[in-house]
């Protein structure tokens, strides 16, 4: 206790020390260390458990959204590879991707979108593998194929080529002819094959020796044998053959010089 400007002053500690017994002060201090009445939480209370679940879910949702922004945009884990398609068979282009949520897939060939259908089949195998199956292979299937992978967090793409191989074939053989001596003879055949086939002409089983009068030309889809100033010795059986690593084909025609 003291005096300040003629007014008596005293401290709280002096009151505690003089008016409150030690044991009572100890009980009061102990009571103050616990939560106030009505503020206790019973972890077995269903409402408390439900609130805790909501708090955890909210945190996980925030973390998930952050992870999606970091990991959600599509990525190509294994790139497309060029494949060889043999005429009449099927080929499959496939790549491994990472994306969440699941991406939207579009395939295209030489810049033109391909619709999922009998010819082109969109295939989803493992959770992270997308593929395109090209059926009934033909030469027109040769080209560059691109897959576009897109989801709400971004997009990516990858490309590869289908290389078409077609067995050597004579689509239409030469026609037999009868000509007068001194006439011009032209034997023509339609050919195909990929890789481009080797082409040869023979007469009566022997290779034709080309010169200015007898020669043949080879184009992308046709071959032509020309005989100028036909002579009786030019009469006979003419054969054409085509060959590549997938097959051989041949045809023949007769030339008669009257």
């Amino acid at each position: 206790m003291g005096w300040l400007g003629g007014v008596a002053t005293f401290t709280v500690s002096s009151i505690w020390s003089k008016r409150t017994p030690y044991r009572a002060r100890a009980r009061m201090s102990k009571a103050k260390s616990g939560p106030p009445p009505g503020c206790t939480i019973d972890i077995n209370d269903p409402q408390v458990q439900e609130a805790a679940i909501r708090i955890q879910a909210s945190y996980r949702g925030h973390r998930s959204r952050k992870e999606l922004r970091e990991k959600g945009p599509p990525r190509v884990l294994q790139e497309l590879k060029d494949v060889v398609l043999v005429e009449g068979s099927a080929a499959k282009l496939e790549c491994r991707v990472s994306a969440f949520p699941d991406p939207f897939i579009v395939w295209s060939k030489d810049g033109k979108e391909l619709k999922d259908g009998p010819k082109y089949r969109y295939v989803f195998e493992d959770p992270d593998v997308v593929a395109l199956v090209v059926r009934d292979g033909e030469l027109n299937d040769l080209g560059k194929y691109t897959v576009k992978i897109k989801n709400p967090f971004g997009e990516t793409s990858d490309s590869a080529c289908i290389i078409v191989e077609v067995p050597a074939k004579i689509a239409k053989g030469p026609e037999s002819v009868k000509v007068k001596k001194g006439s011009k003879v032209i034997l023509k055949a339609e050919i195909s094959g990929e890789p481009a086939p080797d082409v040869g002409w023979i007469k009566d089983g022997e290779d034709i020796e080309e010169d200015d009068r007898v020669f043949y030309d080879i184009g992308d889809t046709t071959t032509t044998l020309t005989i100028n100033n036909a002579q009786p010795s030019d009469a006979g059986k003419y054969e054409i053959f085509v060959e590549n690593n997938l097959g051989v084909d041949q045809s023949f025609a007769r030339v008669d010089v009257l």
Side-chain angles (χ1 to χ4, degrees):
M1 179 176 176
W3 293 89
L4 181 62
V7 179
T9 64
F10 51 86
T11 63
V12 175
S13 59
S14 64
I15 296 176
W16 274 107
S17 61
K18 294 182 178 181
R19 297 185 179 182
T20 308
Y22 172 78
R23 291 182 179 179
R25 292 201 304 272
R27 288 196 299 271
M28 293 179 69
S29 298
K30 183 177 180 181
K32 288 183 179 181
S33 64
C39 293
T40 57
I41 297 177
D42 182 2
I43 61 174
N44 295 318
D45 187 336
Q47 293 182 344
V48 173
Q49 294 177 353
E50 182 179 355
I53 291 172
R54 289 179 179 178
I55 293 172
Q56 292 176 1
S58 176
Y59 170 73
R60 284 197 299 268
H62 170 75
R63 185 178 63 185
S64 297
R65 288 190 293 272
K66 181 180 179 181
E67 290 176 350
L68 283 174
R69 286 193 295 270
E70 296 174 351
K71 302 179 181 179
R75 293 180 295 123
V76 176
L77 303 180
Q78 181 177 320
E79 297 179 344
L80 294 171
K81 295 181 179 180
D82 294 348
V83 298
V84 174
L85 172 61
V86 178
E87 185 182 39
S89 65
K92 181 167 73 172
L93 292 163
E94 64 179 13
C95 66
R96 190 175 298 273
V97 302
S98 172
F100 189 84
D102 290 342
F104 181 68
I105 304 296
V106 175
W107 288 91
S108 61
K109 174 182 177 288
D110 297 329
K112 183 178 180 180
E113 183 177 337
L114 302 174
K115 299 296 184 181
D116 186 21
K119 175 66 176 179
Y120 304 103
R121 293 296 299 174
Y122 284 30
V123 178
F124 304 91
E125 295 178 338
D126 295 336
D128 56 355
V129 173
V130 296
L132 177 73
V133 175
V134 181
R135 297 175 172 175
D136 302 323
E138 57 186 359
L139 194 55
N140 288 336
D141 293 323
L142 176 71
K144 180 181 179 181
Y145 291 75
T146 300
V147 59
K148 180 183 290 185
I149 308 150
K150 182 178 181 180
N151 74 3
F153 295 95
E155 67 177 76
T156 188
S157 63
D158 194 24
S159 299
C161 292
I162 285 185
I163 303 166
V164 180
E165 291 192 345
V166 181
K169 183 178 181 180
I170 298 174
K172 184 179 180 181
E175 296 181 356
S176 297
V177 294
K178 293 181 180 181
V179 299
K180 293 181 179 181
K181 180 181 176 181
S183 300
K184 183 177 183 177
V185 177
I186 295 179
L187 299 179
K188 182 178 180 180
E190 296 178 2
I191 61 175
S192 62
E194 184 63 39
D198 294 326
V199 179
W201 288 85
I202 61 176
K203 174 181 179 291
D204 297 330
E206 300 290 337
D207 289 341
I208 294 176
E209 296 293 337
E210 294 183 272
D211 54 29
D212 292 339
R213 193 178 68 86
V214 180
F215 56 90
Y216 57 87
D217 297 311
I218 303 171
D220 292 336
T221 59
T222 61
T223 178
T224 303
L225 173 68
T226 302
I227 304 173
N228 291 314
N229 189 23
Q231 300 298 310
S233 59
D234 294 322
K237 180 182 179 181
Y238 289 80
E239 294 179 80
I240 172 183
F241 68 87
V242 293
E243 179 180 7
N244 65 10
N245 62 310
L246 297 175
V248 179
D249 198 8
Q250 61 183 11
S251 184
F252 70 91
R254 283 203 57 86
V255 173
D256 292 314
V257 180
L258 305 177

